[in-house]
Amino acid sequence: MQAKEEDVSLGVNKFPERQAIGTAAQSDEKDYKEPPPAPLFEPGELKSWSFYRAGIAEFVATFLFLYITILTVMGVAGSKSKCSSVGIQGIAWAFGGMIFALVYCTAGISGGHINPAVTFGLFLARKLSLTRALFYMVMQCLGAICGAGVVKGFKKNLYMANNGGTNSVSPGYTKGDGLGAEIIGTFVLVYTVFSATDAKRSARDSHVPILAPLPIGFAVFLVHLATIPITGTGINPARSLGAAIIYNRDHAWDDQWIFWVGPFIGAALAAIYHQIVIRAIPFKSRP
């Protein structure tokens, strides 16, 4: 009891994380109530440990995400033949599998975004404040930079010889092709996040929150299978930025804008589609 009182006095639970799973809308009776939108600015969060704990979770998750996935890419690139490595399918599994594991681990702490595009989409849907959204994006980018940096530290020559796992539009495709692939790929991901973690479904079907990381990870896997040949698959601005900064060659920056503009447009479209078309939230009567 004393520990709980101390936690409350420190503001641990004063500003609970606004998770994608919308736990505030769930109850033991499975009654559903539309959660109120997050305020645009919530400066009081800056005094709460839960705010910083969530940011640290996003940093560590994105660090691990880049570490495992870029190492996998380097393993494939450095092998003598595609048959002696996991190949494109293995790379896709590494990205999708890590998202599955990391979303499962961090969903209850930060919401398990691990991607500025996901954070942006949830911010547009008023699932979290601008204060928290910006903090998450900064921590995600820092985590990605550190993750790619550790990979480079293992074997610099191999890393630099294989473009450091950076994203770029492949020969034979236009920049418009790359932008379109990033928009649609991110739409698939963020739409899956909204659908798999919908508060109404969570209240109605108790298994949905437990299964949520699975379809999200599987969506990442499928998008990678489709778009690795086109752009190397970004759909995550932090992932693209972290690899580009650590690799730090001119051609790594040529198409960098595509991997920010595309994912943000795709996330915005997914948020609009889910909130307005699927859930029709603007059309619901309010008391």
Side-chain angles (χ1 to χ4, degrees), residues 42-76:
E42 200 166 5
E45 286 184 313
L46 300 176
K47 300 178 181 178
S48 171
W49 166 241
S50 65
F51 176 79
Y52 298 100
R53 180 183 63 181
I56 294 170
E58 288 293 308
F59 171 88
V60 172
T62 316
F63 169 85
L64 295 174
F65 178 60
L66 266 288
Y67 170 75
I68 294 296
T69 55
I70 300 299
L71 264 184
T72 304
V73 172
M74 292 299 101
V76 172

PDB file of all heavy atoms in Angstrom, residues 42-76:
ATOM      1  N   GLU A  42      -0.589  18.487 -23.836  1.00  0.00           N
ATOM      2  CA  GLU A  42      -0.787  17.974 -22.481  1.00  0.00           C
ATOM      3  C   GLU A  42       0.518  18.176 -21.709  1.00  0.00           C
ATOM      4  O   GLU A  42       1.251  17.231 -21.417  1.00  0.00           O
ATOM      5  CB  GLU A  42      -1.171  16.491 -22.532  1.00  0.00           C
ATOM      6  CG  GLU A  42      -1.852  16.007 -21.268  1.00  0.00           C
ATOM      7  CD  GLU A  42      -2.522  14.657 -21.480  1.00  0.00           C
ATOM      8  OE1 GLU A  42      -2.383  14.066 -22.558  1.00  0.00           O
ATOM      9  OE2 GLU A  42      -3.191  14.197 -20.544  1.00  0.00           O
ATOM     10  N   PRO A  43       0.855  19.434 -21.403  1.00  0.00           N
ATOM     11  CA  PRO A  43       2.150  19.731 -20.780  1.00  0.00           C
ATOM     12  C   PRO A  43       2.352  19.031 -19.446  1.00  0.00           C
ATOM     13  O   PRO A  43       3.492  18.809 -19.027  1.00  0.00           O
ATOM     14  CB  PRO A  43       2.128  21.254 -20.618  1.00  0.00           C
ATOM     15  CG  PRO A  43       0.681  21.634 -20.672  1.00  0.00           C
ATOM     16  CD  PRO A  43       0.031  20.645 -21.584  1.00  0.00           C
ATOM     17  N   GLY A  44       1.257  18.675 -18.777  1.00  0.00           N
ATOM     18  CA  GLY A  44       1.392  17.980 -17.500  1.00  0.00           C
ATOM     19  C   GLY A  44       2.083  16.640 -17.620  1.00  0.00           C
ATOM     20  O   GLY A  44       2.628  16.115 -16.647  1.00  0.00           O
ATOM     21  N   GLU A  45       2.070  16.061 -18.828  1.00  0.00           N
ATOM     22  CA  GLU A  45       2.748  14.784 -19.041  1.00  0.00           C
ATOM     23  C   GLU A  45       4.247  14.880 -18.741  1.00  0.00           C
ATOM     24  O   GLU A  45       4.872  13.892 -18.350  1.00  0.00           O
ATOM     25  CB  GLU A  45       2.582  14.339 -20.500  1.00  0.00           C
ATOM     26  CG  GLU A  45       1.198  13.835 -20.847  1.00  0.00           C
ATOM     27  CD  GLU A  45       1.139  13.322 -22.273  1.00  0.00           C
ATOM     28  OE1 GLU A  45       1.634  14.014 -23.176  1.00  0.00           O
ATOM     29  OE2 GLU A  45       0.585  12.225 -22.479  1.00  0.00           O
ATOM     30  N   LEU A  46       4.796  16.057 -18.958  1.00  0.00           N
ATOM     31  CA  LEU A  46       6.238  16.236 -18.776  1.00  0.00           C
ATOM     32  C   LEU A  46       6.669  16.033 -17.336  1.00  0.00           C
ATOM     33  O   LEU A  46       7.852  15.882 -17.052  1.00  0.00           O
ATOM     34  CB  LEU A  46       6.643  17.636 -19.248  1.00  0.00           C
ATOM     35  CG  LEU A  46       6.360  17.947 -20.722  1.00  0.00           C
ATOM     36  CD1 LEU A  46       6.719  19.388 -21.041  1.00  0.00           C
ATOM     37  CD2 LEU A  46       7.122  16.996 -21.631  1.00  0.00           C
ATOM     38  N   LYS A  47       5.723  16.028 -16.398  1.00  0.00           N
ATOM     39  CA  LYS A  47       6.033  15.812 -14.989  1.00  0.00           C
ATOM     40  C   LYS A  47       5.793  14.361 -14.554  1.00  0.00           C
ATOM     41  O   LYS A  47       5.963  14.030 -13.386  1.00  0.00           O
ATOM     42  CB  LYS A  47       5.189  16.736 -14.118  1.00  0.00           C
ATOM     43  CG  LYS A  47       5.408  18.223 -14.412  1.00  0.00           C
ATOM     44  CD  LYS A  47       4.492  19.082 -13.551  1.00  0.00           C
ATOM     45  CE  LYS A  47       4.669  20.563 -13.855  1.00  0.00           C
ATOM     46  NZ  LYS A  47       3.756  21.415 -13.048  1.00  0.00           N
ATOM     47  N   SER A  48       5.376  13.537 -15.506  1.00  0.00           N
ATOM     48  CA  SER A  48       5.018  12.158 -15.172  1.00  0.00           C
ATOM     49  C   SER A  48       6.086  11.180 -15.626  1.00  0.00           C
ATOM     50  O   SER A  48       6.572  11.249 -16.764  1.00  0.00           O
ATOM     51  CB  SER A  48       3.679  11.806 -15.839  1.00  0.00           C
ATOM     52  OG  SER A  48       3.405  10.428 -15.705  1.00  0.00           O
ATOM     53  N   TRP A  49       6.450  10.258 -14.742  1.00  0.00           N
ATOM     54  CA  TRP A  49       7.437   9.248 -15.103  1.00  0.00           C
ATOM     55  C   TRP A  49       6.932   8.352 -16.223  1.00  0.00           C
ATOM     56  O   TRP A  49       7.720   7.883 -17.064  1.00  0.00           O
ATOM     57  CB  TRP A  49       7.793   8.411 -13.882  1.00  0.00           C
ATOM     58  CG  TRP A  49       8.537   7.150 -14.215  1.00  0.00           C
ATOM     59  CD1 TRP A  49       8.160   5.872 -13.966  1.00  0.00           C
ATOM     60  CD2 TRP A  49       9.812   7.051 -14.875  1.00  0.00           C
ATOM     61  NE1 TRP A  49       9.092   4.978 -14.421  1.00  0.00           N
ATOM     62  CE2 TRP A  49      10.127   5.679 -14.985  1.00  0.00           C
ATOM     63  CE3 TRP A  49      10.711   8.001 -15.388  1.00  0.00           C
ATOM     64  CZ2 TRP A  49      11.298   5.228 -15.592  1.00  0.00           C
ATOM     65  CZ3 TRP A  49      11.878   7.549 -15.992  1.00  0.00           C
ATOM     66  CH2 TRP A  49      12.162   6.178 -16.085  1.00  0.00           C
ATOM     67  N   SER A  50       5.636   8.092 -16.276  1.00  0.00           N
ATOM     68  CA  SER A  50       5.099   7.214 -17.317  1.00  0.00           C
ATOM     69  C   SER A  50       5.368   7.766 -18.713  1.00  0.00           C
ATOM     70  O   SER A  50       5.541   7.011 -19.671  1.00  0.00           O
ATOM     71  CB  SER A  50       3.590   7.010 -17.118  1.00  0.00           C
ATOM     72  OG  SER A  50       2.890   8.234 -17.284  1.00  0.00           O
ATOM     73  N   PHE A  51       5.420   9.079 -18.844  1.00  0.00           N
ATOM     74  CA  PHE A  51       5.714   9.724 -20.125  1.00  0.00           C
ATOM     75  C   PHE A  51       7.132   9.365 -20.584  1.00  0.00           C
ATOM     76  O   PHE A  51       7.349   8.948 -21.727  1.00  0.00           O
ATOM     77  CB  PHE A  51       5.553  11.233 -19.970  1.00  0.00           C
ATOM     78  CG  PHE A  51       5.911  12.032 -21.190  1.00  0.00           C
ATOM     79  CD1 PHE A  51       5.026  12.141 -22.247  1.00  0.00           C
ATOM     80  CD2 PHE A  51       7.134  12.686 -21.270  1.00  0.00           C
ATOM     81  CE1 PHE A  51       5.341  12.900 -23.364  1.00  0.00           C
ATOM     82  CE2 PHE A  51       7.473  13.437 -22.375  1.00  0.00           C
ATOM     83  CZ  PHE A  51       6.569  13.553 -23.435  1.00  0.00           C
ATOM     84  N   TYR A  52       8.095   9.507 -19.695  1.00  0.00           N
ATOM     85  CA  TYR A  52       9.489   9.224 -20.045  1.00  0.00           C
ATOM     86  C   TYR A  52       9.739   7.724 -20.176  1.00  0.00           C
ATOM     87  O   TYR A  52      10.537   7.285 -21.015  1.00  0.00           O
ATOM     88  CB  TYR A  52      10.414   9.843 -19.006  1.00  0.00           C
ATOM     89  CG  TYR A  52      10.288  11.343 -18.966  1.00  0.00           C
ATOM     90  CD1 TYR A  52       9.526  11.983 -17.985  1.00  0.00           C
ATOM     91  CD2 TYR A  52      10.884  12.137 -19.956  1.00  0.00           C
ATOM     92  CE1 TYR A  52       9.386  13.359 -17.975  1.00  0.00           C
ATOM     93  CE2 TYR A  52      10.746  13.523 -19.940  1.00  0.00           C
ATOM     94  CZ  TYR A  52       9.992  14.122 -18.951  1.00  0.00           C
ATOM     95  OH  TYR A  52       9.835  15.485 -18.944  1.00  0.00           O
ATOM     96  N   ARG A  53       9.047   6.953 -19.361  1.00  0.00           N
ATOM     97  CA  ARG A  53       9.168   5.496 -19.479  1.00  0.00           C
ATOM     98  C   ARG A  53       8.715   5.027 -20.850  1.00  0.00           C
ATOM     99  O   ARG A  53       9.358   4.170 -21.476  1.00  0.00           O
ATOM    100  CB  ARG A  53       8.316   4.831 -18.393  1.00  0.00           C
ATOM    101  CG  ARG A  53       8.343   3.313 -18.408  1.00  0.00           C
ATOM    102  CD  ARG A  53       7.416   2.751 -17.357  1.00  0.00           C
ATOM    103  NE  ARG A  53       6.033   3.104 -17.612  1.00  0.00           N
ATOM    104  CZ  ARG A  53       5.023   2.761 -16.829  1.00  0.00           C
ATOM    105  NH1 ARG A  53       5.252   2.091 -15.707  1.00  0.00           N
ATOM    106  NH2 ARG A  53       3.791   3.108 -17.120  1.00  0.00           N
ATOM    107  N   ALA A  54       7.624   5.597 -21.344  1.00  0.00           N
ATOM    108  CA  ALA A  54       7.122   5.236 -22.669  1.00  0.00           C
ATOM    109  C   ALA A  54       8.120   5.626 -23.759  1.00  0.00           C
ATOM    110  O   ALA A  54       8.346   4.876 -24.715  1.00  0.00           O
ATOM    111  CB  ALA A  54       5.771   5.918 -22.918  1.00  0.00           C
ATOM    112  N   GLY A  55       8.720   6.812 -23.631  1.00  0.00           N
ATOM    113  CA  GLY A  55       9.715   7.247 -24.608  1.00  0.00           C
ATOM    114  C   GLY A  55      10.931   6.341 -24.621  1.00  0.00           C
ATOM    115  O   GLY A  55      11.466   6.011 -25.689  1.00  0.00           O
ATOM    116  N   ILE A  56      11.379   5.922 -23.442  1.00  0.00           N
ATOM    117  CA  ILE A  56      12.516   5.009 -23.347  1.00  0.00           C
ATOM    118  C   ILE A  56      12.167   3.672 -24.000  1.00  0.00           C
ATOM    119  O   ILE A  56      12.998   3.067 -24.699  1.00  0.00           O
ATOM    120  CB  ILE A  56      12.934   4.814 -21.883  1.00  0.00           C
ATOM    121  CG1 ILE A  56      13.488   6.124 -21.303  1.00  0.00           C
ATOM    122  CG2 ILE A  56      13.966   3.699 -21.746  1.00  0.00           C
ATOM    123  CD1 ILE A  56      13.698   6.103 -19.804  1.00  0.00           C
ATOM    124  N   ALA A  57      10.944   3.212 -23.788  1.00  0.00           N
ATOM    125  CA  ALA A  57      10.508   1.954 -24.403  1.00  0.00           C
ATOM    126  C   ALA A  57      10.537   2.059 -25.925  1.00  0.00           C
ATOM    127  O   ALA A  57      10.933   1.103 -26.620  1.00  0.00           O
ATOM    128  CB  ALA A  57       9.099   1.592 -23.927  1.00  0.00           C
ATOM    129  N   GLU A  58      10.123   3.204 -26.459  1.00  0.00           N
ATOM    130  CA  GLU A  58      10.164   3.400 -27.908  1.00  0.00           C
ATOM    131  C   GLU A  58      11.604   3.429 -28.413  1.00  0.00           C
ATOM    132  O   GLU A  58      11.911   2.887 -29.488  1.00  0.00           O
ATOM    133  CB  GLU A  58       9.447   4.704 -28.282  1.00  0.00           C
ATOM    134  CG  GLU A  58       7.938   4.643 -28.154  1.00  0.00           C
ATOM    135  CD  GLU A  58       7.308   3.702 -29.168  1.00  0.00           C
ATOM    136  OE1 GLU A  58       7.599   3.843 -30.378  1.00  0.00           O
ATOM    137  OE2 GLU A  58       6.529   2.818 -28.753  1.00  0.00           O
ATOM    138  N   PHE A  59      12.495   4.054 -27.666  1.00  0.00           N
ATOM    139  CA  PHE A  59      13.909   4.101 -28.039  1.00  0.00           C
ATOM    140  C   PHE A  59      14.492   2.696 -28.091  1.00  0.00           C
ATOM    141  O   PHE A  59      15.122   2.302 -29.084  1.00  0.00           O
ATOM    142  CB  PHE A  59      14.686   4.962 -27.038  1.00  0.00           C
ATOM    143  CG  PHE A  59      16.183   4.900 -27.224  1.00  0.00           C
ATOM    144  CD1 PHE A  59      16.815   5.776 -28.092  1.00  0.00           C
ATOM    145  CD2 PHE A  59      16.944   3.965 -26.535  1.00  0.00           C
ATOM    146  CE1 PHE A  59      18.196   5.712 -28.277  1.00  0.00           C
ATOM    147  CE2 PHE A  59      18.319   3.896 -26.715  1.00  0.00           C
ATOM    148  CZ  PHE A  59      18.948   4.777 -27.588  1.00  0.00           C
ATOM    149  N   VAL A  60      14.314   1.928 -27.036  1.00  0.00           N
ATOM    150  CA  VAL A  60      14.892   0.584 -26.960  1.00  0.00           C
ATOM    151  C   VAL A  60      14.298  -0.315 -28.041  1.00  0.00           C
ATOM    152  O   VAL A  60      15.024  -1.079 -28.710  1.00  0.00           O
ATOM    153  CB  VAL A  60      14.666  -0.018 -25.562  1.00  0.00           C
ATOM    154  CG1 VAL A  60      15.086  -1.490 -25.531  1.00  0.00           C
ATOM    155  CG2 VAL A  60      15.442   0.772 -24.516  1.00  0.00           C
ATOM    156  N   ALA A  61      12.981  -0.238 -28.251  1.00  0.00           N
ATOM    157  CA  ALA A  61      12.333  -1.080 -29.252  1.00  0.00           C
ATOM    158  C   ALA A  61      12.855  -0.768 -30.653  1.00  0.00           C
ATOM    159  O   ALA A  61      13.147  -1.683 -31.434  1.00  0.00           O
ATOM    160  CB  ALA A  61      10.818  -0.900 -29.191  1.00  0.00           C
ATOM    161  N   THR A  62      12.986   0.515 -30.977  1.00  0.00           N
ATOM    162  CA  THR A  62      13.474   0.877 -32.310  1.00  0.00           C
ATOM    163  C   THR A  62      14.945   0.521 -32.460  1.00  0.00           C
ATOM    164  O   THR A  62      15.391   0.131 -33.542  1.00  0.00           O
ATOM    165  CB  THR A  62      13.258   2.374 -32.584  1.00  0.00           C
ATOM    166  OG1 THR A  62      11.938   2.759 -32.159  1.00  0.00           O
ATOM    167  CG2 THR A  62      13.378   2.673 -34.073  1.00  0.00           C
ATOM    168  N   PHE A  63      15.713   0.654 -31.396  1.00  0.00           N
ATOM    169  CA  PHE A  63      17.112   0.217 -31.406  1.00  0.00           C
ATOM    170  C   PHE A  63      17.212  -1.270 -31.745  1.00  0.00           C
ATOM    171  O   PHE A  63      17.965  -1.681 -32.637  1.00  0.00           O
ATOM    172  CB  PHE A  63      17.749   0.493 -30.043  1.00  0.00           C
ATOM    173  CG  PHE A  63      19.095  -0.152 -29.852  1.00  0.00           C
ATOM    174  CD1 PHE A  63      20.242   0.476 -30.312  1.00  0.00           C
ATOM    175  CD2 PHE A  63      19.202  -1.394 -29.239  1.00  0.00           C
ATOM    176  CE1 PHE A  63      21.488  -0.133 -30.149  1.00  0.00           C
ATOM    177  CE2 PHE A  63      20.436  -1.999 -29.073  1.00  0.00           C
ATOM    178  CZ  PHE A  63      21.582  -1.367 -29.533  1.00  0.00           C
ATOM    179  N   LEU A  64      16.447  -2.091 -31.048  1.00  0.00           N
ATOM    180  CA  LEU A  64      16.477  -3.533 -31.293  1.00  0.00           C
ATOM    181  C   LEU A  64      15.964  -3.868 -32.687  1.00  0.00           C
ATOM    182  O   LEU A  64      16.480  -4.782 -33.352  1.00  0.00           O
ATOM    183  CB  LEU A  64      15.645  -4.255 -30.229  1.00  0.00           C
ATOM    184  CG  LEU A  64      16.169  -4.163 -28.795  1.00  0.00           C
ATOM    185  CD1 LEU A  64      15.181  -4.802 -27.822  1.00  0.00           C
ATOM    186  CD2 LEU A  64      17.539  -4.819 -28.674  1.00  0.00           C
ATOM    187  N   PHE A  65      14.967  -3.130 -33.130  1.00  0.00           N
ATOM    188  CA  PHE A  65      14.402  -3.349 -34.460  1.00  0.00           C
ATOM    189  C   PHE A  65      15.460  -3.144 -35.543  1.00  0.00           C
ATOM    190  O   PHE A  65      15.651  -3.981 -36.424  1.00  0.00           O
ATOM    191  CB  PHE A  65      13.220  -2.400 -34.662  1.00  0.00           C
ATOM    192  CG  PHE A  65      12.574  -2.495 -36.011  1.00  0.00           C
ATOM    193  CD1 PHE A  65      12.010  -3.682 -36.447  1.00  0.00           C
ATOM    194  CD2 PHE A  65      12.519  -1.389 -36.852  1.00  0.00           C
ATOM    195  CE1 PHE A  65      11.411  -3.777 -37.694  1.00  0.00           C
ATOM    196  CE2 PHE A  65      11.916  -1.468 -38.095  1.00  0.00           C
ATOM    197  CZ  PHE A  65      11.369  -2.661 -38.522  1.00  0.00           C
ATOM    198  N   LEU A  66      16.181  -2.029 -35.480  1.00  0.00           N
ATOM    199  CA  LEU A  66      17.229  -1.759 -36.472  1.00  0.00           C
ATOM    200  C   LEU A  66      18.388  -2.738 -36.339  1.00  0.00           C
ATOM    201  O   LEU A  66      18.947  -3.192 -37.349  1.00  0.00           O
ATOM    202  CB  LEU A  66      17.731  -0.325 -36.319  1.00  0.00           C
ATOM    203  CG  LEU A  66      17.082   0.755 -37.196  1.00  0.00           C
ATOM    204  CD1 LEU A  66      17.521   0.613 -38.651  1.00  0.00           C
ATOM    205  CD2 LEU A  66      15.570   0.743 -37.092  1.00  0.00           C
ATOM    206  N   TYR A  67      18.734  -3.051 -35.109  1.00  0.00           N
ATOM    207  CA  TYR A  67      19.857  -3.962 -34.888  1.00  0.00           C
ATOM    208  C   TYR A  67      19.617  -5.313 -35.558  1.00  0.00           C
ATOM    209  O   TYR A  67      20.453  -5.806 -36.332  1.00  0.00           O
ATOM    210  CB  TYR A  67      20.068  -4.135 -33.379  1.00  0.00           C
ATOM    211  CG  TYR A  67      21.044  -5.228 -33.016  1.00  0.00           C
ATOM    212  CD1 TYR A  67      22.407  -5.034 -33.178  1.00  0.00           C
ATOM    213  CD2 TYR A  67      20.591  -6.452 -32.524  1.00  0.00           C
ATOM    214  CE1 TYR A  67      23.317  -6.046 -32.853  1.00  0.00           C
ATOM    215  CE2 TYR A  67      21.483  -7.457 -32.199  1.00  0.00           C
ATOM    216  CZ  TYR A  67      22.836  -7.256 -32.368  1.00  0.00           C
ATOM    217  OH  TYR A  67      23.711  -8.251 -32.058  1.00  0.00           O
ATOM    218  N   ILE A  68      18.493  -5.930 -35.297  1.00  0.00           N
ATOM    219  CA  ILE A  68      18.202  -7.259 -35.848  1.00  0.00           C
ATOM    220  C   ILE A  68      17.986  -7.202 -37.357  1.00  0.00           C
ATOM    221  O   ILE A  68      18.524  -8.021 -38.113  1.00  0.00           O
ATOM    222  CB  ILE A  68      16.970  -7.872 -35.163  1.00  0.00           C
ATOM    223  CG1 ILE A  68      17.261  -8.157 -33.687  1.00  0.00           C
ATOM    224  CG2 ILE A  68      16.534  -9.153 -35.878  1.00  0.00           C
ATOM    225  CD1 ILE A  68      18.342  -9.188 -33.444  1.00  0.00           C
ATOM    226  N   THR A  69      17.207  -6.236 -37.814  1.00  0.00           N
ATOM    227  CA  THR A  69      16.846  -6.211 -39.237  1.00  0.00           C
ATOM    228  C   THR A  69      18.027  -5.837 -40.133  1.00  0.00           C
ATOM    229  O   THR A  69      18.244  -6.464 -41.172  1.00  0.00           O
ATOM    230  CB  THR A  69      15.677  -5.244 -39.486  1.00  0.00           C
ATOM    231  OG1 THR A  69      16.010  -3.935 -38.964  1.00  0.00           O
ATOM    232  CG2 THR A  69      14.408  -5.731 -38.782  1.00  0.00           C
ATOM    233  N   ILE A  70      18.813  -4.828 -39.746  1.00  0.00           N
ATOM    234  CA  ILE A  70      19.960  -4.442 -40.569  1.00  0.00           C
ATOM    235  C   ILE A  70      21.025  -5.527 -40.555  1.00  0.00           C
ATOM    236  O   ILE A  70      21.677  -5.790 -41.568  1.00  0.00           O
ATOM    237  CB  ILE A  70      20.544  -3.091 -40.116  1.00  0.00           C
ATOM    238  CG1 ILE A  70      19.491  -1.982 -40.223  1.00  0.00           C
ATOM    239  CG2 ILE A  70      21.758  -2.726 -40.964  1.00  0.00           C
ATOM    240  CD1 ILE A  70      18.971  -1.759 -41.622  1.00  0.00           C
ATOM    241  N   LEU A  71      21.200  -6.198 -39.422  1.00  0.00           N
ATOM    242  CA  LEU A  71      22.118  -7.336 -39.376  1.00  0.00           C
ATOM    243  C   LEU A  71      21.675  -8.433 -40.341  1.00  0.00           C
ATOM    244  O   LEU A  71      22.495  -9.068 -41.017  1.00  0.00           O
ATOM    245  CB  LEU A  71      22.195  -7.905 -37.962  1.00  0.00           C
ATOM    246  CG  LEU A  71      23.336  -7.428 -37.062  1.00  0.00           C
ATOM    247  CD1 LEU A  71      23.297  -8.176 -35.730  1.00  0.00           C
ATOM    248  CD2 LEU A  71      24.695  -7.625 -37.728  1.00  0.00           C
ATOM    249  N   THR A  72      20.373  -8.667 -40.414  1.00  0.00           N
ATOM    250  CA  THR A  72      19.853  -9.667 -41.348  1.00  0.00           C
ATOM    251  C   THR A  72      20.133  -9.258 -42.786  1.00  0.00           C
ATOM    252  O   THR A  72      20.557 -10.074 -43.611  1.00  0.00           O
ATOM    253  CB  THR A  72      18.342  -9.861 -41.143  1.00  0.00           C
ATOM    254  OG1 THR A  72      18.078 -10.212 -39.789  1.00  0.00           O
ATOM    255  CG2 THR A  72      17.812 -10.971 -42.041  1.00  0.00           C
ATOM    256  N   VAL A  73      19.892  -7.988 -43.094  1.00  0.00           N
ATOM    257  CA  VAL A  73      20.176  -7.484 -44.436  1.00  0.00           C
ATOM    258  C   VAL A  73      21.654  -7.647 -44.774  1.00  0.00           C
ATOM    259  O   VAL A  73      22.018  -8.068 -45.878  1.00  0.00           O
ATOM    260  CB  VAL A  73      19.764  -6.000 -44.560  1.00  0.00           C
ATOM    261  CG1 VAL A  73      20.235  -5.412 -45.891  1.00  0.00           C
ATOM    262  CG2 VAL A  73      18.256  -5.855 -44.440  1.00  0.00           C
ATOM    263  N   MET A  74      22.530  -7.334 -43.827  1.00  0.00           N
ATOM    264  CA  MET A  74      23.964  -7.467 -44.058  1.00  0.00           C
ATOM    265  C   MET A  74      24.357  -8.933 -44.260  1.00  0.00           C
ATOM    266  O   MET A  74      25.235  -9.251 -45.062  1.00  0.00           O
ATOM    267  CB  MET A  74      24.750  -6.890 -42.877  1.00  0.00           C
ATOM    268  CG  MET A  74      24.653  -5.382 -42.728  1.00  0.00           C
ATOM    269  SD  MET A  74      25.299  -4.471 -44.150  1.00  0.00           S
ATOM    270  CE  MET A  74      23.766  -4.034 -44.977  1.00  0.00           C
ATOM    271  N   GLY A  75      23.709  -9.836 -43.546  1.00  0.00           N
ATOM    272  CA  GLY A  75      23.993 -11.256 -43.713  1.00  0.00           C
ATOM    273  C   GLY A  75      23.652 -11.747 -45.106  1.00  0.00           C
ATOM    274  O   GLY A  75      24.402 -12.522 -45.712  1.00  0.00           O
ATOM    275  N   VAL A  76      22.531 -11.272 -45.623  1.00  0.00           N
ATOM    276  CA  VAL A  76      22.119 -11.654 -46.978  1.00  0.00           C
ATOM    277  C   VAL A  76      23.051 -11.021 -48.005  1.00  0.00           C
ATOM    278  O   VAL A  76      23.503 -11.674 -48.955  1.00  0.00           O
ATOM    279  CB  VAL A  76      20.660 -11.234 -47.246  1.00  0.00           C
ATOM    280  CG1 VAL A  76      20.283 -11.450 -48.715  1.00  0.00           C
ATOM    281  CG2 VAL A  76      19.716 -12.021 -46.341  1.00  0.00           C
TER     282      VAL A  76
END
